[in-house]
Amino acid sequence: MNAAQLPPVAPEVTATLVEGLSPRLRKRLDAAVTKLAARPTHRDGDTTTIEVDDETELRLYAPGGVVAKVEDVTCGCLLAPACVHRAAAACAAPATDLAPEPAEQATPEAPGPASATATTPFGPDAAHALGLNVAPASGPDTATGVAANAAPGRAPNTAPDAATPHETASPDQRAAADALWSAGAAVLEAGVDGAGAVTQSALLRAAHSARLRHLPRAAGAALSVVTLLRAARAGNPSYRTAELVTALAELLGTARRVGTASGAELAAVRGRVRRPYSPDGSLRLYGLFTEPVVTDSGHGGVRTWVAGADGRLFTVGDVAPGGVGRALGVADRAVRLGDSALTHRELGRAGLAVSGATVSPDGRLGAGKAVKAVTARGAAWTEPPLAALWETPPAEQAARALRSTSRYADPDGTGSDLLFLDVELLGAVREPGGACLLAQCEGGVRIRLTVADDDPALAHRDNLALLAAAPGTRLRIIGRLIPATHPRLTLLACTHPTGEGTVDLGLDRLRRADLPDPSAPAHFAPPQPAGPGGASPLYLLERRVEQTVPAGRAALGLLSDVTAETRRIRRGGLPTAAALLTALCASAAQRDRDLFGRLLPADTDGFTAYWLAAARYTAAVSESLCAAAWNATEGDPVAVPPVPVHDAAG
């Protein structure tokens, strides 16, 4: 059995079942989850049955696809309903958000805190990194001019609710946020190894309470943390520690801001349960390209990008369970939008005239019954209105895309992470993970182009290898920004090397005959410099932030001395990072004693606040280094205006 074979379980159901166990059974819960995962499972309609042993069966009843009530989990053992099996099954199943997407979306796309004072062991810029109320710093990290203006937390598929200018959180919302902070701090204290089913159930209970008190953004962040914790503990190969760092920082930062936010900021912190679709009248759309979408959860499909006459970008998607096979098949199915008979692949090169259009804040076109769409003439990438997309300077496009992909930016539902560039191919560049394609765009900026998906069934890898054999070729490309210390994109589409038409690089396959010199072997460009942030010592702080997540606070508390690391960080021009590392490690190791010499409980809240500040600070500096890389031309020194750290801990 694996989690994908079980129906999703509502957070409050799992929390209630775990809370109902005796202390003795709670200690056995993690072992029971592991044991249950090895048992046979079969599904019959809305009922999923797990064979606990040769004589006992456990059933999960999921009308509508979700186990929504405690009574829907039943066990046939002698100790039921107070047995450990029911709770173990709920903990093994995926946690779900019961808030559905609105009907407008025709197809789903894949799926406070302790107080602090202004007295700190470092300067006011780091105090802002902790969210303390002190005067703004005028220019931290001036040695390198790194901008470190951290944006607050971010959650997927949310948009802010309206709020009056002076509206603040209610007492119930503040209490829910405090519970989320405490649950998140407990995860950070224990680490992945210690955050078992009981710790996860506390997060699920806090998420449910937050949802009831209209804090969907924080509740969604808590569910993300639980999902990633389970993936980490199960040894899922798709799990990445950096993703759990981001999810934890989003959870803690959002929870912390609930008590202090007001007006528009409060609306952003609360988030929105559903992705709203708003009427947008009549639209004249021009196809750009179609990209295959394949997720780790087994979903597959395509997303077709189109542009309006005013340059706005929209998407039409069709993603559902099915993997890469479905992605390849759906590309040649009709678009689910009005009366159009165009396939996704055809729409990427044609046009649509849409009336009664509805659009979500992130640009998805709704497919409601009132929407009418008919096929229209498309436009070449060199013709209006599409040609205007390539006229914006690369650095400005990168800055816009970076705002869209920022890990902790408040979601406003606008912006795109796509870049539209005219480039000259230079050849392949060897990297530790393989090879990528090097190209040069306007201003002499050299960009590394990588594949969007390594699956051999898709055309990305083969197409990139062929393009590496055509140095000197000039192409118009569309790519997705990858935040890095050097300019980097995933290559999604390009003009055909022959100059006729365009190529969807995940779906269309180039041939050697399409190249200017079909017999030319792959050309490897000389090794390239790492970029403005290549020599940055920021990684010394980043690795300590990530080190905390698997092993908990104790992992940092055991460090004897970080003086050498902080000295190196300061020499690199990052005094705030050095101060945060010192404070983080000191907080992890601090354990006071009472009058009788007994150890007092660790200051979990204080350590969590320092960890959060460090996580948000490193993300902000990394994004600034990325922006600096796109502004630097070959041979020019990197100069980024210093920006004070502001509210990095949320």
Side-chain angles (χ1 to χ4, degrees):
M1 179 195 78
N2 58 57
Q5 295 176 295
L6 299 178
V9 177
E12 65 272 22
V13 172
T14 302
T16 300
L17 289 171
V18 173
E19 292 163 358
L21 295 177
S22 65
R24 179 179 64 86
L25 290 180
R26 287 192 187 189
K27 294 179 181 179
R28 297 171 49 190
L29 181 56
D30 289 326
V33 172
T34 302
K35 183 177 180 180
L36 205 62
R39 300 301 301 168
T41 302
H42 64 272
R43 180 175 294 185
D44 183 10
D46 292 334
T47 302
T48 300
T49 302
I50 305 173
E51 296 180 11
V52 178
D53 54 40
D54 294 339
E55 300 179 354
T56 306
E57 291 184 339
L58 187 150
R59 292 184 174 86
L60 293 88
Y61 177 57
V66 176
V67 179
K69 296 186 294 184
V70 173
E71 296 78 16
D72 291 339
V73 184
T74 59
C75 183
C77 74
L78 296 177
L79 295 178
C83 63
V84 74
H85 303 130
R86 299 171 70 220
C91 291
T96 185
D97 187 346
L98 288 179
E101 287 289 342
E104 274 284 7
Q105 187 176 2
T107 54
E109 292 207 24
S115 61
T117 66
T119 302
T120 66
F122 32 86
D125 54 343
H128 270 280
L130 287 170
L132 308 182
N133 186 20
V134 297
S138 58
D141 301 345
T142 53
T144 57
V146 173
N149 185 25
R154 179 180 188 174
N157 298 337
T158 61
D161 283 319
T164 59
H166 303 293
E167 182 181 355
T168 59
S170 68
D172 284 346
Q173 288 178 326
R174 295 180 184 181
D178 288 344
L180 283 169
W181 172 275
S182 298
V187 171
L188 198 61
E189 174 76 14
V192 169
D193 295 340
V198 174
T199 302
Q200 294 167 25
S201 73
L203 259 178
L204 293 174
R205 173 61 69 193
H208 176 59
S209 298
R211 177 68 68 186
L212 294 179
R213 281 142 182 92
H214 308 291
L215 297 174
R217 176 176 172 178
L223 292 182
S224 296
V225 171
V226 171
T227 300
L228 289 167
L229 281 173
R230 291 177 175 177
R233 293 174 62 86
N236 190 321
S238 65
Y239 166 76
R240 299 292 182 270
T241 299
E243 294 180 2
L244 184 50
V245 169
T246 299
L248 262 175
E250 159 69 11
L251 168 63
L252 294 167
T254 304
R256 184 170 189 142
R257 294 174 65 202
V258 168
T260 59
S262 62
E265 183 186 1
L266 176 61
V269 171
R270 286 190 308 219
R272 190 186 291 273
V273 175
R274 294 183 174 187
R275 179 188 296 109
Y277 281 76
S278 304
D280 207 339
S282 298
L283 295 174
R284 180 66 168 88
L285 304 176
Y286 300 85
L288 280 167
F289 72 101
T290 299
E291 62 172 321
V293 178
V294 182
T295 71
D296 293 332
S297 61
H299 288 69
V302 295
R303 182 187 299 113
T304 299
W305 290 82
V306 296
D310 57 358
R312 283 190 298 162
L313 298 180
F314 304 91
T315 60
V316 182
D318 186 348
V319 181
V324 68
R326 186 179 190 278
L328 294 172
V330 168
D332 293 312
R333 293 183 190 175
V335 174
R336 300 179 185 179
L337 191 66
D339 302 321
S340 171
L342 290 174
T343 67
H344 280 274
R345 197 191 297 261
E346 292 169 342
L347 175 58
R349 296 172 173 84
L352 279 179
V354 183
S355 63
T358 57
V359 183
S360 72
D362 59 359
R364 298 190 190 189
L365 292 168
K369 295 180 180 179
V371 178
K372 305 297 181 183
V374 295
T375 303
R377 177 186 175 276
W381 288 3
T382 54
E383 299 174 351
L386 299 185
L389 296 172
W390 278 266
E391 294 175 0
T392 304
E396 292 184 24
Q397 294 193 52
R400 179 207 65 216
L402 194 58
R403 289 192 296 271
S404 174
T405 60
S406 178
R407 279 176 273 180
Y408 304 116
D410 282 334
D412 59 7
T414 60
S416 165
D417 56 359
L418 298 184
L419 272 71
F420 303 83
L421 304 174
D422 289 306
V423 302
E424 179 183 347
L425 302 184
L426 301 178
V429 171
R430 292 184 175 90
E431 294 185 325
C436 66
L437 181 61
L438 186 69
Q440 183 168 289
C441 69
E442 177 186 333
V445 177
R446 294 194 170 188
I447 312 162
R448 302 189 189 202
L449 305 174
T450 66
V451 297
D453 195 309
D454 269 321
D455 194 306
L458 300 176
H460 291 293
R461 175 63 65 185
D462 292 341
N463 285 336
L464 204 72
L466 277 177
L467 292 175
T473 302
R474 294 182 178 272
L475 297 176
R476 181 158 278 194
I477 68 169
I478 302 176
R480 177 168 288 116
L481 178 72
I482 300 176
T485 57
H486 54 267
R488 193 176 187 89
L489 302 176
T490 54
L491 188 56
L492 302 174
C494 69
T495 52
H496 199 280
T498 62
E500 299 180 1
T502 61
V503 181
D504 296 337
L505 290 166
L507 299 171
D508 305 328
R509 291 189 178 272
L510 292 170
R511 299 172 299 172
R512 283 206 166 269
D514 297 325
L515 303 182
D517 183 1
S519 62
H523 174 77
F524 283 88
Q528 299 298 305
S536 171
L538 183 67
Y539 75 93
L540 296 171
L541 178 59
E542 287 178 322
R543 72 176 183 180
R544 297 306 182 192
V545 169
E546 290 196 5
Q547 184 180 359
T548 309
V549 171
R553 179 185 57 81
L556 293 188
L558 294 176
L559 294 177
S560 56
D561 188 11
V562 292
T563 303
E565 294 181 21
T566 57
R567 186 183 301 115
R568 182 176 175 186
I569 293 174
R570 288 183 187 279
R571 284 201 304 266
L574 299 172
T576 300
L580 283 172
L581 178 58
T582 300
L584 179 65
C585 294
S587 177
Q590 182 178 0
R591 291 294 300 272
D592 296 329
R593 296 180 181 270
D594 62 14
L595 295 175
F596 299 98
R598 295 171 297 192
L599 280 174
L600 295 174
D603 182 10
T604 302
D605 284 343
F607 172 74
T608 301
Y610 281 115
W611 181 89
L612 175 59
R616 302 293 282 272
Y617 175 86
T618 55
V621 175
S622 296
E623 291 166 7
S624 296
L625 290 172
C626 177
W630 282 90
N631 278 285
T633 57
E634 186 177 9
D636 288 344
V638 177
V640 186
V643 179
V645 179
H646 174 66
D647 197 21

